[in-house]
Amino acid sequence: MKKSIIATVLAIGISTFGAAAARSILDIKQSITDDNIIAPESFETQTRQLEENFYIRNYVVPGVDLGEISKATPAEYEQRLKVLPTEIELPYNSIVGNFIDMYLNKKRGLVADMIALHSYYGPIFVEELVKEGMPVELQYLPVIESAINPNAISRAGAAGLWQFMPATAKGLGMEVNSLIDERRDPRLSSRNAARYLKQLHEIYDDWSLAIAAYNCGPGNVNKALRRAGEGKKDFWEIYHYLPAETRGYVPVFIAANYVMNYFKDHGISPTIIKRHLTTDTVVVDKYVHFNQIAAVLDIPVDEIRMLNPQYLKDVIPGDYRPYTLTLPTQQCLSYVMSEKRIVDYDKELYARRSHVEPGQTSTGAADPVNDKGSSNLAKASRQTVNADTNNELAQTQVAERMTVKTHVVSRGESIRDIARQYGVSATDIKRWNQLRRGKVKAGDSLRIEVFEHVSPENIKVVAASEVAQVTPQQLHEAVKEDPAPAATASSSAKTTAKAAAAPAKTATAKNTTAKNTPAKAASPAKAAAQPTSHKVKNGDTLGKLASRYGTTVAAIQKANGMGSSTNIRAGQTIKIPPRTATAKKSTTRRRR
């Protein structure tokens, strides 16, 4: 009798335990709680770091808070995640909810900036994932890995959008050395991330485990599987056996998918695209510095850096092996056509010595820090001049202003350090402060001229058709007049269009021939053909003067025998050539 009762009790207990165990396995994804997880480092990203990105400053207006935070209930979170068209399972639980709340409350500004950056980097992620047949929801892994910052570096040494460790990157064939870090290359790192995730999925045949292994490595996931016991092959079943950071990795991935899809439901406005940025690549097989490319193609150095973050020192060592350079689409053709001129531009400044004898005097030229200086910064707020496919969609009323700052030299600081701090050239600092030797000491006060971008409060959206167009004939004539590459030619064509709309100016001839022939002296064409003298002031650049006088940089260089140099100094008198021949022809046709 006792044995029968005991057997009955045991049977009931085993049945109850089995039901409880079965229920916990089925419900664990929704009911699991954990107060001992570690948030990813990307949560520590300051919005200021992302807002320094050239793309955010010049191509988009990030989303902003539209008012009070619009909250949702756990049931609404769960339902919205459930209906997302994803291959990867995105269950809801309190841990996922905590991460969603963190994004939507404490990190709203970060979310807005990430949405803005995703408008450029997202299509790259999706393209590479689709090529490998991967779920496109993996495009939000860089949200939690790097906050979509290609220059992000973790405390452990992982780098880039996908946060590869050096050993993992080299194992996947990426190059990491003093000049090149392909972990920061948006395209290449996305391609290798997709391939690596595919390999991990082939190992575990489960996306949650593959994502966990991407974070902590297959070794830690395998260890957790062994400790959890035979038959446990689900992330949520081995949850408590994983490292603390990895336990939060899959939940925050689910939260990132929610936030990047439903941010508008929580009072964050979408990003406004001011300009569409379309890019292409060229192969570079020569040693080239970014400053050389910027000077000849007339584009900001910061834009080249944003498009090519893998080049750590602004140098492409193409003489070692061929590398790819990403540029706005139309600039690629300009680069191919102007490559010799680019390589020869200030060649001695960027050349490396291949042989040196002991005691030999160095003939190195000036500091190669951002040689375009304020000229590049002045261009940073507008679209590259000959990128015809970068259609203008919106404009701010005030893009930037020039500000004079005073810098007090600290102990140990050099002009090169100060130039890097303000994004100008060392040569400009010497010129602004009339420094001959370029040496400074602690306590010296230096004049620094910088261009500060004005935060656009009101964005006026305009259709692409409203942007002034230059006719093919005007562009052709501008190219004939100006021997500069396509970048300068396009700028010249825009100047031509403005000149054609302006009334012709007359001047009185002062030479003897003009007095004897008054009819010819009164000719607007003859008067306009006379060059102008200009005394250089602080802050003047060839680009500013070309814009002011309706000519081109190349024409000013030619008129003054400057070759390819862009250096001018305060007090110097230079000749300004007349408006381009295209402008004169346009005026003549209009008067007829």
Side-chain angles (χ1 to χ4, degrees), residues 407-418 429-430 433 435 437-446:
H407 178 89
V408 179
V409 180
S410 301
R411 183 177 180 182
E413 270 191 323
S414 66
I415 287 187
R416 183 172 183 173
D417 298 329
I418 299 168
I429 294 179
K430 295 174 187 176
N433 296 276
L435 300 175
R437 301 187 61 186
K439 291 186 177 181
V440 293
K441 62 181 182 297
D444 286 351
S445 294
L446 298 179

mmCIF file with all atom_site columns, all heavy atoms in Angstrom, residues 407-418 429-430 433 435 437-446:
data_model
loop_
_atom_site.group_PDB
_atom_site.id
_atom_site.type_symbol
_atom_site.label_atom_id
_atom_site.label_alt_id
_atom_site.label_comp_id
_atom_site.label_asym_id
_atom_site.label_entity_id
_atom_site.label_seq_id
_atom_site.pdbx_PDB_ins_code
_atom_site.Cartn_x
_atom_site.Cartn_y
_atom_site.Cartn_z
_atom_site.occupancy
_atom_site.B_iso_or_equiv
_atom_site.pdbx_formal_charge
_atom_site.auth_seq_id
_atom_site.auth_comp_id
_atom_site.auth_asym_id
_atom_site.auth_atom_id
_atom_site.pdbx_PDB_model_num
ATOM 1   N N   . HIS A 1 407 ? 44.157 81.119 -30.170 1.00 0.00 ? 407 HIS A N   1
ATOM 2   C CA  . HIS A 1 407 ? 44.637 79.905 -29.514 1.00 0.00 ? 407 HIS A CA  1
ATOM 3   C C   . HIS A 1 407 ? 45.888 80.223 -28.701 1.00 0.00 ? 407 HIS A C   1
ATOM 4   O O   . HIS A 1 407 ? 46.852 80.779 -29.232 1.00 0.00 ? 407 HIS A O   1
ATOM 5   C CB  . HIS A 1 407 ? 44.959 78.824 -30.554 1.00 0.00 ? 407 HIS A CB  1
ATOM 6   C CG  . HIS A 1 407 ? 45.503 77.561 -29.945 1.00 0.00 ? 407 HIS A CG  1
ATOM 7   N ND1 . HIS A 1 407 ? 44.690 76.530 -29.527 1.00 0.00 ? 407 HIS A ND1 1
ATOM 8   C CD2 . HIS A 1 407 ? 46.780 77.183 -29.676 1.00 0.00 ? 407 HIS A CD2 1
ATOM 9   C CE1 . HIS A 1 407 ? 45.443 75.560 -29.027 1.00 0.00 ? 407 HIS A CE1 1
ATOM 10  N NE2 . HIS A 1 407 ? 46.711 75.935 -29.109 1.00 0.00 ? 407 HIS A NE2 1
ATOM 11  N N   . VAL A 1 408 ? 45.842 79.895 -27.421 1.00 0.00 ? 408 VAL A N   1
ATOM 12  C CA  . VAL A 1 408 ? 47.009 80.085 -26.560 1.00 0.00 ? 408 VAL A CA  1
ATOM 13  C C   . VAL A 1 408 ? 47.797 78.780 -26.546 1.00 0.00 ? 408 VAL A C   1
ATOM 14  O O   . VAL A 1 408 ? 47.265 77.726 -26.180 1.00 0.00 ? 408 VAL A O   1
ATOM 15  C CB  . VAL A 1 408 ? 46.583 80.469 -25.122 1.00 0.00 ? 408 VAL A CB  1
ATOM 16  C CG1 . VAL A 1 408 ? 47.822 80.632 -24.243 1.00 0.00 ? 408 VAL A CG1 1
ATOM 17  C CG2 . VAL A 1 408 ? 45.768 81.755 -25.142 1.00 0.00 ? 408 VAL A CG2 1
ATOM 18  N N   . VAL A 1 409 ? 49.026 78.835 -26.964 1.00 0.00 ? 409 VAL A N   1
ATOM 19  C CA  . VAL A 1 409 ? 49.853 77.645 -27.101 1.00 0.00 ? 409 VAL A CA  1
ATOM 20  C C   . VAL A 1 409 ? 50.129 77.025 -25.732 1.00 0.00 ? 409 VAL A C   1
ATOM 21  O O   . VAL A 1 409 ? 50.546 77.711 -24.795 1.00 0.00 ? 409 VAL A O   1
ATOM 22  C CB  . VAL A 1 409 ? 51.173 77.971 -27.812 1.00 0.00 ? 409 VAL A CB  1
ATOM 23  C CG1 . VAL A 1 409 ? 52.040 76.724 -27.954 1.00 0.00 ? 409 VAL A CG1 1
ATOM 24  C CG2 . VAL A 1 409 ? 50.896 78.600 -29.174 1.00 0.00 ? 409 VAL A CG2 1
ATOM 25  N N   . SER A 1 410 ? 49.894 75.740 -25.628 1.00 0.00 ? 410 SER A N   1
ATOM 26  C CA  . SER A 1 410 ? 50.190 75.003 -24.400 1.00 0.00 ? 410 SER A CA  1
ATOM 27  C C   . SER A 1 410 ? 51.595 74.429 -24.473 1.00 0.00 ? 410 SER A C   1
ATOM 28  O O   . SER A 1 410 ? 52.200 74.345 -25.541 1.00 0.00 ? 410 SER A O   1
ATOM 29  C CB  . SER A 1 410 ? 49.180 73.873 -24.194 1.00 0.00 ? 410 SER A CB  1
ATOM 30  O OG  . SER A 1 410 ? 47.868 74.382 -24.124 1.00 0.00 ? 410 SER A OG  1
ATOM 31  N N   . ARG A 1 411 ? 52.062 73.998 -23.347 1.00 0.00 ? 411 ARG A N   1
ATOM 32  C CA  . ARG A 1 411 ? 53.414 73.433 -23.293 1.00 0.00 ? 411 ARG A CA  1
ATOM 33  C C   . ARG A 1 411 ? 53.490 72.164 -24.140 1.00 0.00 ? 411 ARG A C   1
ATOM 34  O O   . ARG A 1 411 ? 52.647 71.278 -24.036 1.00 0.00 ? 411 ARG A O   1
ATOM 35  C CB  . ARG A 1 411 ? 53.776 73.110 -21.844 1.00 0.00 ? 411 ARG A CB  1
ATOM 36  C CG  . ARG A 1 411 ? 55.197 72.579 -21.669 1.00 0.00 ? 411 ARG A CG  1
ATOM 37  C CD  . ARG A 1 411 ? 55.509 72.343 -20.208 1.00 0.00 ? 411 ARG A CD  1
ATOM 38  N NE  . ARG A 1 411 ? 56.856 71.844 -20.020 1.00 0.00 ? 411 ARG A NE  1
ATOM 39  C CZ  . ARG A 1 411 ? 57.394 71.519 -18.849 1.00 0.00 ? 411 ARG A CZ  1
ATOM 40  N NH1 . ARG A 1 411 ? 56.664 71.670 -17.741 1.00 0.00 ? 411 ARG A NH1 1
ATOM 41  N NH2 . ARG A 1 411 ? 58.615 71.064 -18.773 1.00 0.00 ? 411 ARG A NH2 1
ATOM 42  N N   . GLY A 1 412 ? 54.488 72.097 -25.002 1.00 0.00 ? 412 GLY A N   1
ATOM 43  C CA  . GLY A 1 412 ? 54.699 70.910 -25.830 1.00 0.00 ? 412 GLY A CA  1
ATOM 44  C C   . GLY A 1 412 ? 53.947 70.928 -27.143 1.00 0.00 ? 412 GLY A C   1
ATOM 45  O O   . GLY A 1 412 ? 54.137 70.051 -27.976 1.00 0.00 ? 412 GLY A O   1
ATOM 46  N N   . GLU A 1 413 ? 53.090 71.928 -27.364 1.00 0.00 ? 413 GLU A N   1
ATOM 47  C CA  . GLU A 1 413 ? 52.322 71.998 -28.607 1.00 0.00 ? 413 GLU A CA  1
ATOM 48  C C   . GLU A 1 413 ? 53.189 72.540 -29.742 1.00 0.00 ? 413 GLU A C   1
ATOM 49  O O   . GLU A 1 413 ? 54.011 73.430 -29.540 1.00 0.00 ? 413 GLU A O   1
ATOM 50  C CB  . GLU A 1 413 ? 51.105 72.916 -28.444 1.00 0.00 ? 413 GLU A CB  1
ATOM 51  C CG  . GLU A 1 413 ? 49.866 72.198 -27.959 1.00 0.00 ? 413 GLU A CG  1
ATOM 52  C CD  . GLU A 1 413 ? 48.638 73.080 -28.066 1.00 0.00 ? 413 GLU A CD  1
ATOM 53  O OE1 . GLU A 1 413 ? 48.747 74.296 -27.822 1.00 0.00 ? 413 GLU A OE1 1
ATOM 54  O OE2 . GLU A 1 413 ? 47.560 72.551 -28.381 1.00 0.00 ? 413 GLU A OE2 1
ATOM 55  N N   . SER A 1 414 ? 52.951 71.996 -30.928 1.00 0.00 ? 414 SER A N   1
ATOM 56  C CA  . SER A 1 414 ? 53.616 72.501 -32.127 1.00 0.00 ? 414 SER A CA  1
ATOM 57  C C   . SER A 1 414 ? 52.559 73.045 -33.077 1.00 0.00 ? 414 SER A C   1
ATOM 58  O O   . SER A 1 414 ? 51.358 72.833 -32.888 1.00 0.00 ? 414 SER A O   1
ATOM 59  C CB  . SER A 1 414 ? 54.403 71.383 -32.820 1.00 0.00 ? 414 SER A CB  1
ATOM 60  O OG  . SER A 1 414 ? 53.518 70.398 -33.321 1.00 0.00 ? 414 SER A OG  1
ATOM 61  N N   . ILE A 1 415 ? 53.010 73.755 -34.107 1.00 0.00 ? 415 ILE A N   1
ATOM 62  C CA  . ILE A 1 415 ? 52.070 74.282 -35.096 1.00 0.00 ? 415 ILE A CA  1
ATOM 63  C C   . ILE A 1 415 ? 51.318 73.147 -35.771 1.00 0.00 ? 415 ILE A C   1
ATOM 64  O O   . ILE A 1 415 ? 50.135 73.260 -36.081 1.00 0.00 ? 415 ILE A O   1
ATOM 65  C CB  . ILE A 1 415 ? 52.819 75.138 -36.135 1.00 0.00 ? 415 ILE A CB  1
ATOM 66  C CG1 . ILE A 1 415 ? 53.238 76.473 -35.503 1.00 0.00 ? 415 ILE A CG1 1
ATOM 67  C CG2 . ILE A 1 415 ? 51.961 75.389 -37.361 1.00 0.00 ? 415 ILE A CG2 1
ATOM 68  C CD1 . ILE A 1 415 ? 53.826 77.451 -36.465 1.00 0.00 ? 415 ILE A CD1 1
ATOM 69  N N   . ARG A 1 416 ? 51.997 72.035 -35.966 1.00 0.00 ? 416 ARG A N   1
ATOM 70  C CA  . ARG A 1 416 ? 51.343 70.881 -36.598 1.00 0.00 ? 416 ARG A CA  1
ATOM 71  C C   . ARG A 1 416 ? 50.202 70.365 -35.733 1.00 0.00 ? 416 ARG A C   1
ATOM 72  O O   . ARG A 1 416 ? 49.121 70.051 -36.239 1.00 0.00 ? 416 ARG A O   1
ATOM 73  C CB  . ARG A 1 416 ? 52.374 69.776 -36.825 1.00 0.00 ? 416 ARG A CB  1
ATOM 74  C CG  . ARG A 1 416 ? 51.822 68.562 -37.537 1.00 0.00 ? 416 ARG A CG  1
ATOM 75  C CD  . ARG A 1 416 ? 52.916 67.602 -37.895 1.00 0.00 ? 416 ARG A CD  1
ATOM 76  N NE  . ARG A 1 416 ? 52.406 66.477 -38.639 1.00 0.00 ? 416 ARG A NE  1
ATOM 77  C CZ  . ARG A 1 416 ? 53.169 65.559 -39.196 1.00 0.00 ? 416 ARG A CZ  1
ATOM 78  N NH1 . ARG A 1 416 ? 54.482 65.650 -39.102 1.00 0.00 ? 416 ARG A NH1 1
ATOM 79  N NH2 . ARG A 1 416 ? 52.637 64.545 -39.856 1.00 0.00 ? 416 ARG A NH2 1
ATOM 80  N N   . ASP A 1 417 ? 50.415 70.303 -34.425 1.00 0.00 ? 417 ASP A N   1
ATOM 81  C CA  . ASP A 1 417 ? 49.354 69.853 -33.509 1.00 0.00 ? 417 ASP A CA  1
ATOM 82  C C   . ASP A 1 417 ? 48.161 70.807 -33.568 1.00 0.00 ? 417 ASP A C   1
ATOM 83  O O   . ASP A 1 417 ? 46.998 70.383 -33.598 1.00 0.00 ? 417 ASP A O   1
ATOM 84  C CB  . ASP A 1 417 ? 49.875 69.777 -32.072 1.00 0.00 ? 417 ASP A CB  1
ATOM 85  C CG  . ASP A 1 417 ? 51.000 68.767 -31.909 1.00 0.00 ? 417 ASP A CG  1
ATOM 86  O OD1 . ASP A 1 417 ? 50.987 67.767 -32.647 1.00 0.00 ? 417 ASP A OD1 1
ATOM 87  O OD2 . ASP A 1 417 ? 51.878 68.985 -31.056 1.00 0.00 ? 417 ASP A OD2 1
ATOM 88  N N   . ILE A 1 418 ? 48.443 72.098 -33.566 1.00 0.00 ? 418 ILE A N   1
ATOM 89  C CA  . ILE A 1 418 ? 47.372 73.100 -33.572 1.00 0.00 ? 418 ILE A CA  1
ATOM 90  C C   . ILE A 1 418 ? 46.614 73.051 -34.889 1.00 0.00 ? 418 ILE A C   1
ATOM 91  O O   . ILE A 1 418 ? 45.383 73.179 -34.922 1.00 0.00 ? 418 ILE A O   1
ATOM 92  C CB  . ILE A 1 418 ? 47.970 74.504 -33.324 1.00 0.00 ? 418 ILE A CB  1
ATOM 93  C CG1 . ILE A 1 418 ? 48.670 74.539 -31.950 1.00 0.00 ? 418 ILE A CG1 1
ATOM 94  C CG2 . ILE A 1 418 ? 46.897 75.580 -33.400 1.00 0.00 ? 418 ILE A CG2 1
ATOM 95  C CD1 . ILE A 1 418 ? 49.532 75.764 -31.735 1.00 0.00 ? 418 ILE A CD1 1
ATOM 96  N N   . ILE A 1 429 ? 48.534 78.910 -40.650 1.00 0.00 ? 429 ILE A N   1
ATOM 97  C CA  . ILE A 1 429 ? 48.800 79.450 -39.312 1.00 0.00 ? 429 ILE A CA  1
ATOM 98  C C   . ILE A 1 429 ? 50.030 80.359 -39.343 1.00 0.00 ? 429 ILE A C   1
ATOM 99  O O   . ILE A 1 429 ? 50.046 81.439 -38.737 1.00 0.00 ? 429 ILE A O   1
ATOM 100 C CB  . ILE A 1 429 ? 48.985 78.322 -38.287 1.00 0.00 ? 429 ILE A CB  1
ATOM 101 C CG1 . ILE A 1 429 ? 47.659 77.557 -38.112 1.00 0.00 ? 429 ILE A CG1 1
ATOM 102 C CG2 . ILE A 1 429 ? 49.447 78.868 -36.938 1.00 0.00 ? 429 ILE A CG2 1
ATOM 103 C CD1 . ILE A 1 429 ? 47.738 76.408 -37.133 1.00 0.00 ? 429 ILE A CD1 1
ATOM 104 N N   . LYS A 1 430 ? 51.055 79.940 -40.055 1.00 0.00 ? 430 LYS A N   1
ATOM 105 C CA  . LYS A 1 430 ? 52.256 80.766 -40.174 1.00 0.00 ? 430 LYS A CA  1
ATOM 106 C C   . LYS A 1 430 ? 51.929 82.089 -40.867 1.00 0.00 ? 430 LYS A C   1
ATOM 107 O O   . LYS A 1 430 ? 52.404 83.149 -40.464 1.00 0.00 ? 430 LYS A O   1
ATOM 108 C CB  . LYS A 1 430 ? 53.329 80.021 -40.958 1.00 0.00 ? 430 LYS A CB  1
ATOM 109 C CG  . LYS A 1 430 ? 53.856 78.770 -40.275 1.00 0.00 ? 430 LYS A CG  1
ATOM 110 C CD  . LYS A 1 430 ? 54.822 78.029 -41.201 1.00 0.00 ? 430 LYS A CD  1
ATOM 111 C CE  . LYS A 1 430 ? 55.237 76.688 -40.620 1.00 0.00 ? 430 LYS A CE  1
ATOM 112 N NZ  . LYS A 1 430 ? 56.097 75.929 -41.545 1.00 0.00 ? 430 LYS A NZ  1
ATOM 113 N N   . ASN A 1 433 ? 49.837 84.555 -38.727 1.00 0.00 ? 433 ASN A N   1
ATOM 114 C CA  . ASN A 1 433 ? 50.559 85.118 -37.588 1.00 0.00 ? 433 ASN A CA  1
ATOM 115 C C   . ASN A 1 433 ? 51.947 85.627 -37.955 1.00 0.00 ? 433 ASN A C   1
ATOM 116 O O   . ASN A 1 433 ? 52.746 85.948 -37.066 1.00 0.00 ? 433 ASN A O   1
ATOM 117 C CB  . ASN A 1 433 ? 50.661 84.059 -36.484 1.00 0.00 ? 433 ASN A CB  1
ATOM 118 C CG  . ASN A 1 433 ? 49.303 83.676 -35.935 1.00 0.00 ? 433 ASN A CG  1
ATOM 119 O OD1 . ASN A 1 433 ? 48.767 84.345 -35.059 1.00 0.00 ? 433 ASN A OD1 1
ATOM 120 N ND2 . ASN A 1 433 ? 48.732 82.592 -36.454 1.00 0.00 ? 433 ASN A ND2 1
ATOM 121 N N   . LEU A 1 435 ? 54.641 84.199 -39.043 1.00 0.00 ? 435 LEU A N   1
ATOM 122 C CA  . LEU A 1 435 ? 55.720 83.404 -38.442 1.00 0.00 ? 435 LEU A CA  1
ATOM 123 C C   . LEU A 1 435 ? 56.639 82.917 -39.549 1.00 0.00 ? 435 LEU A C   1
ATOM 124 O O   . LEU A 1 435 ? 56.196 82.233 -40.472 1.00 0.00 ? 435 LEU A O   1
ATOM 125 C CB  . LEU A 1 435 ? 55.136 82.206 -37.676 1.00 0.00 ? 435 LEU A CB  1
ATOM 126 C CG  . LEU A 1 435 ? 54.175 82.537 -36.525 1.00 0.00 ? 435 LEU A CG  1
ATOM 127 C CD1 . LEU A 1 435 ? 53.595 81.250 -35.948 1.00 0.00 ? 435 LEU A CD1 1
ATOM 128 C CD2 . LEU A 1 435 ? 54.889 83.319 -35.431 1.00 0.00 ? 435 LEU A CD2 1
ATOM 129 N N   . ARG A 1 437 ? 59.776 81.153 -39.049 1.00 0.00 ? 437 ARG A N   1
ATOM 130 C CA  . ARG A 1 437 ? 60.410 79.864 -38.767 1.00 0.00 ? 437 ARG A CA  1
ATOM 131 C C   . ARG A 1 437 ? 59.392 78.797 -38.378 1.00 0.00 ? 437 ARG A C   1
ATOM 132 O O   . ARG A 1 437 ? 59.701 77.618 -38.370 1.00 0.00 ? 437 ARG A O   1
ATOM 133 C CB  . ARG A 1 437 ? 61.450 80.022 -37.663 1.00 0.00 ? 437 ARG A CB  1
ATOM 134 C CG  . ARG A 1 437 ? 62.542 81.019 -38.000 1.00 0.00 ? 437 ARG A CG  1
ATOM 135 C CD  . ARG A 1 437 ? 63.634 81.002 -36.950 1.00 0.00 ? 437 ARG A CD  1
ATOM 136 N NE  . ARG A 1 437 ? 64.265 79.695 -36.856 1.00 0.00 ? 437 ARG A NE  1
ATOM 137 C CZ  . ARG A 1 437 ? 65.173 79.364 -35.941 1.00 0.00 ? 437 ARG A CZ  1
ATOM 138 N NH1 . ARG A 1 437 ? 65.529 80.277 -35.042 1.00 0.00 ? 437 ARG A NH1 1
ATOM 139 N NH2 . ARG A 1 437 ? 65.702 78.178 -35.918 1.00 0.00 ? 437 ARG A NH2 1
ATOM 140 N N   . GLY A 1 438 ? 58.206 79.205 -38.035 1.00 0.00 ? 438 GLY A N   1
ATOM 141 C CA  . GLY A 1 438 ? 57.183 78.225 -37.708 1.00 0.00 ? 438 GLY A CA  1
ATOM 142 C C   . GLY A 1 438 ? 57.326 77.613 -36.336 1.00 0.00 ? 438 GLY A C   1
ATOM 143 O O   . GLY A 1 438 ? 56.795 76.533 -36.068 1.00 0.00 ? 438 GLY A O   1
ATOM 144 N N   . LYS A 1 439 ? 58.040 78.282 -35.445 1.00 0.00 ? 439 LYS A N   1
ATOM 145 C CA  . LYS A 1 439 ? 58.200 77.766 -34.076 1.00 0.00 ? 439 LYS A CA  1
ATOM 146 C C   . LYS A 1 439 ? 57.390 78.620 -33.113 1.00 0.00 ? 439 LYS A C   1
ATOM 147 O O   . LYS A 1 439 ? 57.342 79.848 -33.247 1.00 0.00 ? 439 LYS A O   1
ATOM 148 C CB  . LYS A 1 439 ? 59.674 77.758 -33.670 1.00 0.00 ? 439 LYS A CB  1
ATOM 149 C CG  . LYS A 1 439 ? 60.516 76.737 -34.426 1.00 0.00 ? 439 LYS A CG  1
ATOM 150 C CD  . LYS A 1 439 ? 61.938 76.678 -33.882 1.00 0.00 ? 439 LYS A CD  1
ATOM 151 C CE  . LYS A 1 439 ? 62.750 75.604 -34.599 1.00 0.00 ? 439 LYS A CE  1
ATOM 152 N NZ  . LYS A 1 439 ? 64.143 75.524 -34.068 1.00 0.00 ? 439 LYS A NZ  1
ATOM 153 N N   . VAL A 1 440 ? 56.764 77.954 -32.160 1.00 0.00 ? 440 VAL A N   1
ATOM 154 C CA  . VAL A 1 440 ? 55.973 78.648 -31.142 1.00 0.00 ? 440 VAL A CA  1
ATOM 155 C C   . VAL A 1 440 ? 56.376 78.121 -29.778 1.00 0.00 ? 440 VAL A C   1
ATOM 156 O O   . VAL A 1 440 ? 56.943 77.036 -29.653 1.00 0.00 ? 440 VAL A O   1
ATOM 157 C CB  . VAL A 1 440 ? 54.456 78.434 -31.364 1.00 0.00 ? 440 VAL A CB  1
ATOM 158 C CG1 . VAL A 1 440 ? 53.988 79.115 -32.628 1.00 0.00 ? 440 VAL A CG1 1
ATOM 159 C CG2 . VAL A 1 440 ? 54.119 76.946 -31.404 1.00 0.00 ? 440 VAL A CG2 1
ATOM 160 N N   . LYS A 1 441 ? 56.049 78.922 -28.755 1.00 0.00 ? 441 LYS A N   1
ATOM 161 C CA  . LYS A 1 441 ? 56.369 78.502 -27.392 1.00 0.00 ? 441 LYS A CA  1
ATOM 162 C C   . LYS A 1 441 ? 55.129 78.662 -26.523 1.00 0.00 ? 441 LYS A C   1
ATOM 163 O O   . LYS A 1 441 ? 54.170 79.355 -26.882 1.00 0.00 ? 441 LYS A O   1
ATOM 164 C CB  . LYS A 1 441 ? 57.528 79.329 -26.834 1.00 0.00 ? 441 LYS A CB  1
ATOM 165 C CG  . LYS A 1 441 ? 57.275 80.820 -26.712 1.00 0.00 ? 441 LYS A CG  1
ATOM 166 C CD  . LYS A 1 441 ? 58.493 81.534 -26.171 1.00 0.00 ? 441 LYS A CD  1
ATOM 167 C CE  . LYS A 1 441 ? 58.239 83.029 -25.994 1.00 0.00 ? 441 LYS A CE  1
ATOM 168 N NZ  . LYS A 1 441 ? 57.963 83.710 -27.263 1.00 0.00 ? 441 LYS A NZ  1
ATOM 169 N N   . ALA A 1 442 ? 55.127 77.992 -25.397 1.00 0.00 ? 442 ALA A N   1
ATOM 170 C CA  . ALA A 1 442 ? 53.986 78.028 -24.478 1.00 0.00 ? 442 ALA A CA  1
ATOM 171 C C   . ALA A 1 442 ? 53.653 79.472 -24.109 1.00 0.00 ? 442 ALA A C   1
ATOM 172 O O   . ALA A 1 442 ? 54.539 80.271 -23.798 1.00 0.00 ? 442 ALA A O   1
ATOM 173 C CB  . ALA A 1 442 ? 54.284 77.215 -23.229 1.00 0.00 ? 442 ALA A CB  1
ATOM 174 N N   . GLY A 1 443 ? 52.369 79.806 -24.184 1.00 0.00 ? 443 GLY A N   1
ATOM 175 C CA  . GLY A 1 443 ? 51.914 81.143 -23.842 1.00 0.00 ? 443 GLY A CA  1
ATOM 176 C C   . GLY A 1 443 ? 51.676 82.042 -25.036 1.00 0.00 ? 443 GLY A C   1
ATOM 177 O O   . GLY A 1 443 ? 51.015 83.087 -24.917 1.00 0.00 ? 443 GLY A O   1
ATOM 178 N N   . ASP A 1 444 ? 52.215 81.684 -26.223 1.00 0.00 ? 444 ASP A N   1
ATOM 179 C CA  . ASP A 1 444 ? 51.993 82.491 -27.425 1.00 0.00 ? 444 ASP A CA  1
ATOM 180 C C   . ASP A 1 444 ? 50.514 82.457 -27.808 1.00 0.00 ? 444 ASP A C   1
ATOM 181 O O   . ASP A 1 444 ? 49.843 81.437 -27.682 1.00 0.00 ? 444 ASP A O   1
ATOM 182 C CB  . ASP A 1 444 ? 52.818 81.949 -28.594 1.00 0.00 ? 444 ASP A CB  1
ATOM 183 C CG  . ASP A 1 444 ? 54.299 82.281 -28.448 1.00 0.00 ? 444 ASP A CG  1
ATOM 184 O OD1 . ASP A 1 444 ? 54.624 83.070 -27.547 1.00 0.00 ? 444 ASP A OD1 1
ATOM 185 O OD2 . ASP A 1 444 ? 55.102 81.740 -29.218 1.00 0.00 ? 444 ASP A OD2 1
ATOM 186 N N   . SER A 1 445 ? 50.015 83.598 -28.294 1.00 0.00 ? 445 SER A N   1
ATOM 187 C CA  . SER A 1 445 ? 48.632 83.673 -28.778 1.00 0.00 ? 445 SER A CA  1
ATOM 188 C C   . SER A 1 445 ? 48.649 83.661 -30.300 1.00 0.00 ? 445 SER A C   1
ATOM 189 O O   . SER A 1 445 ? 49.346 84.467 -30.927 1.00 0.00 ? 445 SER A O   1
ATOM 190 C CB  . SER A 1 445 ? 47.948 84.950 -28.274 1.00 0.00 ? 445 SER A CB  1
ATOM 191 O OG  . SER A 1 445 ? 47.797 84.901 -26.862 1.00 0.00 ? 445 SER A OG  1
ATOM 192 N N   . LEU A 1 446 ? 47.887 82.747 -30.886 1.00 0.00 ? 446 LEU A N   1
ATOM 193 C CA  . LEU A 1 446 ? 47.865 82.601 -32.335 1.00 0.00 ? 446 LEU A CA  1
ATOM 194 C C   . LEU A 1 446 ? 46.480 82.915 -32.886 1.00 0.00 ? 446 LEU A C   1
ATOM 195 O O   . LEU A 1 446 ? 45.465 82.550 -32.290 1.00 0.00 ? 446 LEU A O   1
ATOM 196 C CB  . LEU A 1 446 ? 48.244 81.164 -32.734 1.00 0.00 ? 446 LEU A CB  1
ATOM 197 C CG  . LEU A 1 446 ? 49.638 80.694 -32.336 1.00 0.00 ? 446 LEU A CG  1
ATOM 198 C CD1 . LEU A 1 446 ? 49.844 79.256 -32.782 1.00 0.00 ? 446 LEU A CD1 1
ATOM 199 C CD2 . LEU A 1 446 ? 50.716 81.585 -32.945 1.00 0.00 ? 446 LEU A CD2 1
#
